[in-house]
Amino acid sequence: AVVSTQSTGAQCLRSSLGPKGLDKILVSQDGDITVTNDGATILEKMDVDHQIAKLMVQLSKSQDEEIGDGTTGVVVLAGALLEQAEILLERGIHPIRVADGYENAARIAVEHLDTIADTYIVDKDNKEPLVKTAMTTLGSKIVNRCGRKFAEMAVDSILSV
């Protein structure tokens, strides 16, 4: 039941994911209104009682503090993993086996990513690949409108060190 509760929270955030994500209107007990599609803000404003839901809020906060982006994605991903774990648990599979399976899956995924990863040679005379990479990473936040300029500033800053 606790897993199902958190899956519902992840489903609530799922519709706010991505560049065409829908905004949520949040109304506090005091009547303050917040309109946002930012996962960290939505989770921060939610009043959660379940321990797993509280862990998801902490996961989102950690993601925001460490990376500054991807708060909705990590909660949606964790919610999907919990949904699948619930199915396995209902089939009688021991929780340790489920956790071991997730660890093996993560290891296999990382190994596969290593095989398909591209290598970029850093060349001060050809900054375009670095600018394109920086634009990709800056594309989901407010800097989206001035993405190229911010990407060029980031690349110039890094290359000057």
Side-chain angles (χ1 to χ4, degrees), residues 16 18-19 36-41 60 63-65 67-73 134-147 150:
S16 67
T36 184
N37 69 358
D38 178 57
T41 304
S60 175
Q63 179 74 11
D64 194 34
E65 290 169 5
I67 309 297
D69 194 13
T71 54
T72 304
M135 286 175 62
T136 300
T137 61
L138 295 172
S140 67
K141 289 292 179 184
I142 294 171
V143 296
N144 187 339
R145 280 185 251 176
C146 306
F150 278 103

Side-chain angles (χ1 to χ4, degrees), residues 77-89:
L77 176 61
L81 291 171
L82 282 173
E83 285 176 21
Q84 294 305 308
E86 185 175 35
I87 293 168
L88 296 172
L89 294 172

Side-chain angles (χ1 to χ4, degrees), residues 2 7 35 54 59 73 82 96 107 132 160:
V2 174
S7 296
V35 179
K54 288 179 182 179
L59 172 68
L82 282 173
I96 298 223
R107 182 184 45 76
K132 286 182 180 179
S160 69

Side-chain angles (χ1 to χ4, degrees), residues 2-159:
V2 174
V3 174
S4 295
T5 301
Q6 182 45 44
S7 296
T8 303
Q11 288 173 359
C12 172
L13 289 182
R14 192 173 292 149
S15 63
S16 67
L17 191 60
K20 298 192 187 239
L22 302 173
D23 287 347
K24 306 289 184 223
I25 299 174
L26 309 170
V27 182
S28 72
Q29 292 177 347
D30 299 340
D32 292 336
I33 297 173
T34 303
V35 179
T36 184
N37 69 358
D38 178 57
T41 304
I42 294 168
L43 288 172
E44 179 183 307
K45 303 276 184 187
M46 288 175 68
D47 184 25
V48 293
D49 292 329
H50 293 318
Q51 289 299 343
I52 292 177
K54 288 179 182 179
L55 286 172
M56 294 295 231
V57 171
Q58 186 58 45
L59 172 68
S60 175
K61 285 181 182 177
S62 296
Q63 179 74 11
D64 194 34
E65 290 169 5
E66 292 294 320
I67 309 297
D69 194 13
T71 54
T72 304
V74 297
V75 172
V76 170
L77 176 61
L81 291 171
L82 282 173
E83 285 176 21
Q84 294 305 308
E86 185 175 35
I87 293 168
L88 296 172
L89 294 172
E90 287 172 354
R91 292 175 59 190
I93 298 174
H94 194 277
I96 298 223
R97 296 215 31 144
V98 174
D100 288 345
Y102 281 158
E103 285 183 23
N104 286 336
R107 182 184 45 76
I108 292 167
V110 169
E111 288 171 2
H112 180 67
L113 287 172
D114 287 339
T115 65
I116 63 171
D118 287 332
T119 302
Y120 288 99
I121 297 171
V122 177
D123 181 7
K124 283 189 173 190
D125 297 327
N126 183 15
K127 295 190 265 185
E128 192 58 26
L130 295 172
V131 170
K132 286 182 180 179
T133 302
M135 286 175 62
T136 300
T137 61
L138 295 172
S140 67
K141 289 292 179 184
I142 294 171
V143 296
N144 187 339
R145 280 185 251 176
C146 306
R148 177 138 192 112
K149 182 163 182 62
F150 278 103
E152 289 171 352
M153 287 177 7
V155 169
D156 289 342
S157 297
I158 291 168
L159 292 176

